[in-house]
């Protein structure tokens, strides 16, 4: 989709997870296109947009948040006073209910897996009802997987008529180009104490319990990988991460692979390609998920992905460009590690097809184009 050169610049307010890097990526991309970006209650996102991406944005604090619903009209009034044309919600929460009030700017709701998954993330009936109300009032709904989008449509209710679209948190295929990351990835390997020629198995997702980094360590320990390389767990600077790190190191020590475990520190987004490019294989053991930008970034860098076989990954992680394992199946995960460790031609085959698919279907510029088009539809429907 090509952008219309005459398209108006809009004032977009971002309301979502205050620490999610996706928010910073989106805000920076919109600002780079000339839009005025306002970020609600997320000073860290504002800092990332300005310091890491070099783009300008504005901050807005929720007025008198302690008042609860009584304070909602003041937030709507503040947004209107700032000239907000459209609100983009990410990571839906009940606190976003003010945007359903009459007179509020139209909003696009982008759902994440944890928003609607009440099995792995138990929610109260009140929480569920409020999320459904937010979905029902959206001017448009997007998600990064077809099952998640279908669930969002259902939760919005039979009367909802807003457009819905599959939009990935895509990847800048120029920045995440393996040819441009050789020197930087070698420097990253050196910083982590990885010897030349050692294979790198990278777990780039968070290390909180539901990401199952413990299972990754167990499968790694049972595989042939430790004899030829290391396992790298990426840190994200999240609350409780240091305690989780100590537990995982203790687990690895007990399994005899402690010296083969590394932790990559949290880094600015522009350093992420180097972290990912040093990997020979990436692993994600989540059992509930959308389609994370992490997968697309690894695939763009020609890093084969091993992941849990989930409905949400269908169409993205397919057998010709990734390896999928049943949830909780350590034996199959171990076998996948063994094959990828020992079969370099197979790794290369998966890697080549993965990048080809990402370039064709998940380039970041096209993803932002789709959100912009939905903003225009939302504004035009008012």
């Amino acid at each position: 989709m090509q952008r219309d050169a005459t398209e108006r610049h809009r004032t977009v307010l971002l309301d979502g997870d205050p620490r999610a890097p996706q928010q910073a990526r989106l805000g920076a991309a919109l600002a780079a296109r000339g839009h005025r970006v306002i970020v609600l209650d997320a000073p860290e996102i504002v800092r990332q947009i300005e310091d890491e991406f070099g783009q300008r944005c504005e901050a807005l604090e929720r007025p008198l948040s302690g008042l609860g619903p009584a304070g909602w009209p003041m937030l709507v009034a503040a947004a209107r006073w700032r000239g907000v044309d459209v609100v983009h919600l990410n990571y839906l929460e009940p606190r976003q209910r003010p945007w359903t009030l009459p007179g509020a700017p139209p909003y696009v709701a982008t759902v994440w897996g944890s928003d609607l998954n009440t099995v792995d993330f138990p929610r109260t009936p009140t929480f569920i009802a409020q999320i459904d109300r937010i979905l029902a009032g959206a001017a448009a709904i997007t998600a990064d997987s077809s099952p998640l989008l279908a669930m969002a449509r259902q939760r919005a209710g039979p009367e909802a008529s807003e457009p819905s679209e599959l939009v990935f948190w895509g990847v800048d295929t120029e920045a995440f180009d393996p040819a441009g990351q050789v020197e930087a990835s070698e420097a990253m390997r050196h910083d982590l104490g990885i010897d030349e020629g050692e294979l790198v198995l990278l777990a780039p997702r968070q290390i909180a319990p539901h990401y199952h980094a413990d299972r990754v360590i167990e499968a790694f320990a049972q595989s042939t990988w430790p004899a030829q390389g290391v396992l790298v767990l990426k840190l994200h600077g999240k609350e409780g991460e240091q305690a989780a790190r100590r537990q995982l190191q203790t687990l690895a020590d007990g399994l005899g692979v402690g010296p083969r475990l590394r932790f990559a520190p949290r880094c600015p987004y522009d350093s992420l390609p180097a972290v990912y490019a040093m990997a020979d294989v990436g692993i994600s053991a989540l059992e509930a998920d959308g389609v994370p930008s992490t997968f697309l970034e690894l695939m763009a860098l020609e890093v084969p992905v091993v992941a849990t076989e989930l409905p949400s990954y269908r169409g993205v992680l397919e057998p010709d460009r990734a390896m999928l394992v049943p949830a909780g199946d350590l034996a199959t995960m171990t076998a996948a590690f063994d094959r990828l460790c020992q079969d370099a031609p197979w790794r290369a085959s998966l890697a080549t097809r993965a990048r080809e698919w990402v370039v064709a279907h998940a380039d970041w510029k096209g993803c932002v184009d789709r959100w912009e088009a939905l903003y225009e539809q939302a504004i035009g429907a008012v």
Side-chain angles (χ1 to χ4, degrees):
M1 181 187 301
Q2 297 296 320
R3 299 182 68 238
D4 184 351
T6 64
E7 185 179 349
R8 289 183 55 188
H9 293 155
R10 300 294 191 177
T11 297
V12 183
L13 187 145
L14 301 181
D15 182 4
D17 185 336
R19 299 191 68 183
Q22 291 92 333
Q23 287 279 87
R25 290 181 65 211
L26 177 57
L30 294 173
R33 294 183 176 203
H35 299 291
R36 179 184 172 208
V37 175
I38 302 175
V39 183
L40 180 64
D41 288 340
E44 184 171 332
I45 300 302
V46 172
R47 181 193 60 76
Q48 284 185 273
I49 291 173
E50 294 181 342
D51 295 347
E52 296 184 15
F53 291 93
Q55 296 296 329
R56 184 178 181 276
C57 67
E58 301 173 32
L60 175 64
E61 293 185 5
R62 195 177 303 268
L64 301 176
S65 58
L67 290 179
W72 293 357
M74 285 182 278
L75 175 58
V76 171
R80 284 300 190 188
W81 183 79
R82 291 281 195 107
V84 171
D85 294 305
V86 64
V87 179
H88 193 154
L89 307 182
N90 287 285
Y91 190 74
L92 306 188
E93 294 182 311
R95 65 183 177 83
Q96 296 165 332
R97 278 289 307 280
W99 308 119
T100 67
L101 295 178
Y107 62 91
V108 174
T110 293
V111 297
W112 296 13
S114 54
D115 300 344
L116 307 185
N117 178 357
T118 58
V119 175
D120 296 282
F121 303 92
R123 307 295 192 185
T124 66
T126 299
F127 184 101
I128 293 170
Q130 293 193 69
I131 297 302
D132 291 353
R133 177 67 187 86
I134 292 169
L135 288 170
I141 295 174
T142 80
D144 60 8
S145 76
S146 296
L148 188 58
L149 188 62
M151 186 184 301
R153 289 188 189 125
Q154 182 181 27
R155 292 274 296 270
E159 302 301 319
S161 59
E162 67 267 30
S164 57
E165 187 168 344
L166 179 69
V167 184
F168 296 118
W169 288 98
V171 54
D172 182 340
T173 53
E174 295 179 2
F176 285 80
D177 182 343
Q181 296 299 325
V182 175
E183 290 186 7
S185 64
E186 288 178 352
M188 187 66 64
R189 288 171 63 99
H190 178 268
D191 290 345
L192 293 175
I194 301 171
D195 293 337
E196 184 177 353
E198 286 191 317
L199 296 176
V200 175
L201 175 62
L202 173 69
R205 314 294 297 276
Q206 295 182 42
I207 59 173
H210 68 278
Y211 285 83
H212 304 300
D214 54 343
R215 297 180 186 172
V216 173
I217 292 174
E218 291 175 19
F220 172 78
Q222 295 173 20
S223 74
T224 58
W225 201 285
Q228 300 187 53
V230 300
L231 169 63
V232 177
L233 303 183
K234 187 178 182 301
L235 301 178
H236 293 258
K238 299 290 186 178
E239 184 177 354
E241 194 171 68
Q242 290 307 312
R245 173 178 179 169
R246 289 191 293 270
Q247 292 173 354
L248 293 170
Q249 184 67 62
T250 299
L251 173 63
D253 291 342
L255 294 171
V257 293
R260 311 305 288 160
L261 180 62
R262 305 286 190 276
F263 290 90
R266 183 186 183 279
C267 63
Y269 188 76
D270 60 4
S271 297
L272 203 59
V275 177
Y276 290 178
M278 72 175 178
D280 295 283
V281 172
I283 170 64
S284 173
L286 269 168
E287 296 182 4
D289 205 7
V291 175
S293 57
T294 301
F295 287 169
L296 306 176
E297 290 157 354
L298 289 169
M299 293 164 73
L301 286 164
E302 298 185 350
V303 177
V305 173
V306 177
T308 308
E309 189 171 9
L310 300 178
S312 57
Y313 297 163
R314 290 173 187 160
V316 179
L317 300 184
E318 294 292 340
D320 66 335
R321 53 181 176 266
M323 294 192 74
L324 300 174
V325 300
D329 189 336
L330 283 177
T332 304
M333 185 185 296
T334 301
F337 290 170
D338 283 341
R339 180 174 185 187
L340 288 165
C341 179
Q342 299 164 8
D343 193 341
W346 176 242
R347 290 202 309 269
S349 176
L350 292 177
T352 299
R353 288 194 290 265
R355 178 169 172 85
E356 290 173 351
W357 185 90
V358 166
V359 170
H361 299 283
D363 184 78
W364 179 234
K365 293 177 182 178
C367 299
V368 179
D369 286 345
R370 295 185 187 99
W371 275 315
E372 283 186 309
L374 290 172
Y375 296 163
E376 292 303 313
Q377 290 184 47
I379 294 166
V382 174

